[in-house]
Amino acid sequence: MHPETERFRKNRARLVLQHPFFGALAVHLELVESPGRGTVSTNGRKIFVDPAVLKDWNDAEQIGVWAHEVTHCALAHHIRMDELLTAVYNLTAAVYNSAAAYYNYAADLAVNRILRDAGITLPGDALPGDPSLDDHEVEWIFR
């Protein structure tokens, strides 16, 4: 395991101690090292990490990234996105990935608001919250 991935793994334990709700969710995700991915992401069961992006974040920010990803899982964004884009909008594969990127942007806005309200530190490049969206779910933000 890459040293940055190992540090990220250790920060999951810190999340458990500092923010037990989010930490309890994090311990159920399998950590998968994924070089070249360029980000950290989840499919609801695993968290995929590119060691190259981890080095840019201090420990508090890595803890925030853990909380960010587990909140996506807790809110079932991976399931809700697929249902919305296929069942509601009936998107073809050619358009799906582009729409999924916009959905993820909307989901990040919703998640980051929750985390900031909980006092969790996020990386400096995380999407800022928008107070006008505070009472809205991701599907509303997406539309």
Side-chain angles (χ1 to χ4, degrees), residues 11 22 25 29 31 34 49 60 74 80 92 103 111 123-124 129 139:
N11 280 323
F22 297 102
L25 300 172
L29 290 177
L31 179 59
S34 188
V49 299
R80 292 163 63 186
T92 63
Y103 184 94
V111 164
E139 289 82 4

Side-chain angles (χ1 to χ4, degrees), residues 8 15 19 22 56-72 107-130:
F8 190 66
L15 177 66
H19 302 281
F22 297 102
D56 295 332
W57 300 321
N58 64 37
D59 289 344
E61 291 170 328
Q62 283 194 6
I63 290 166
V65 170
W66 268 110
H68 176 94
E69 295 304 326
V70 301
T71 303
H72 280 306
D108 283 350
L109 287 171
V111 164
N112 290 351
R113 172 186 46 86
I114 292 167
L115 299 178
R116 285 199 174 95
D117 287 351
I120 294 175
T121 301
L122 294 170
D125 61 350
L127 291 175
D130 180 343

